[in-house]
Amino acid sequence: SGIAFVVWSSTPAQGVDSGKYKTKGKKVEVPEWTKFDSEESNMQNMIRLNFESARLTHPRCRLVVLTDTDTHCDRDIIAPDLPGPPVEIFRVSGLDNHEEMISRMKARSKFLSEERGDTDIVMLDTDMLVTASMTSVFHGDFDVAATWRHDVEMPINGGILFVPRGSVTKGKFFFEEMLAMTKSMSDSNKVRR
């Protein structure tokens, strides 16, 4: 199908699995999901399940892992046992694994800047499964589709986002704006993980 399913994966910062990590000299509690994500085998199994569900509902779709230059991604583990193009691993340099959300936005922006714009793009968290076709989502007229939260600190749910073919430049600008807003939150001592 003409859809690319894109997930983000990176190795958590050192010390994250200890229950706390430091940012700007302050100790911060680590969310429970970060502890689970710190296990490489957990992450790779989640990616494989995510990709298998995407291939079951969208045969021959593209499958892409966005990551930094240091994170280990084993194509033999994450590739689904279904026919289709090989899994793509898109590496971005200069990312900081202490700032997971910032790095994910930078990687998404970089990925979109290098896309040709001939594929609809679904950006998913690794812990999501695709249970039905998503092609009808792209029948609407939009540049980026997002789900909103009633949360002042995190109003956009980055767990699932849609960028239609032909709108990758606008999608790139969307992530650049999200990045700028997130960085400005750090000025008021918000955690940027």
Side-chain angles (χ1 to χ4, degrees), residues 100-160:
E100 184 81 14
M101 298 303 184
I102 297 277
S103 293
R104 181 173 73 168
M105 283 182 257
K106 287 179 178 178
R108 286 174 169 178
S109 180
K110 179 70 172 163
F111 173 75
L112 290 173
S113 74
E114 295 188 18
E115 275 295 290
R116 298 177 305 273
D118 57 357
T119 305
D120 294 321
I121 298 169
V122 179
M123 296 188 175
L124 296 170
D125 276 353
T126 55
D127 62 353
M128 299 182 83
L129 297 176
V130 181
T131 61
S133 175
M134 294 193 181
T135 55
S136 65
V137 172
F138 294 100
H139 295 163
D141 183 24
F142 63 91
D143 296 316
V144 176
T147 54
W148 295 92
R149 297 182 220 213
H150 297 288
D151 184 335
V152 175
E153 292 179 22
M154 295 180 69
I156 297 173
N157 178 359
I160 185 163

Side-chain angles (χ1 to χ4, degrees), residues 48-61:
R48 183 182 49 75
L49 291 171
N50 178 300
F51 283 174
E52 282 181 1
S53 71
R55 276 275 163 82
L56 284 170
T57 55
H58 302 80
R60 311 254 343 125
C61 65

Side-chain angles (χ1 to χ4, degrees), residues 24-127:
K24 296 189 180 208
K26 295 180 181 178
K27 284 190 177 182
V28 179
E29 290 293 324
V30 176
E32 286 298 315
W33 56 263
T34 304
K35 295 173 188 173
F36 180 84
D37 289 356
S38 68
E39 293 291 327
E40 182 179 306
S41 62
N42 290 342
M43 285 302 294
Q44 293 197 37
N45 284 329
M46 284 194 314
I47 292 170
R48 183 182 49 75
L49 291 171
N50 178 300
F51 283 174
E52 282 181 1
S53 71
R55 276 275 163 82
L56 284 170
T57 55
H58 302 80
R60 311 254 343 125
C61 65
R62 284 176 62 201
L63 304 171
V64 183
V65 177
L66 304 181
T67 191
D68 55 41
T69 55
D70 299 322
T71 297
H72 176 74
C73 291
D74 188 336
R75 279 189 181 91
D76 291 336
I77 293 173
I78 63 176
D81 290 331
L82 298 166
V87 170
E88 301 169 42
I89 297 177
F90 187 89
R91 294 194 179 275
V92 179
S93 61
L95 301 179
D96 181 352
N97 62 357
H98 284 91
E99 296 184 324
E100 184 81 14
M101 298 303 184
I102 297 277
S103 293
R104 181 173 73 168
M105 283 182 257
K106 287 179 178 178
R108 286 174 169 178
S109 180
K110 179 70 172 163
F111 173 75
L112 290 173
S113 74
E114 295 188 18
E115 275 295 290
R116 298 177 305 273
D118 57 357
T119 305
D120 294 321
I121 298 169
V122 179
M123 296 188 175
L124 296 170
D125 276 353
T126 55
D127 62 353

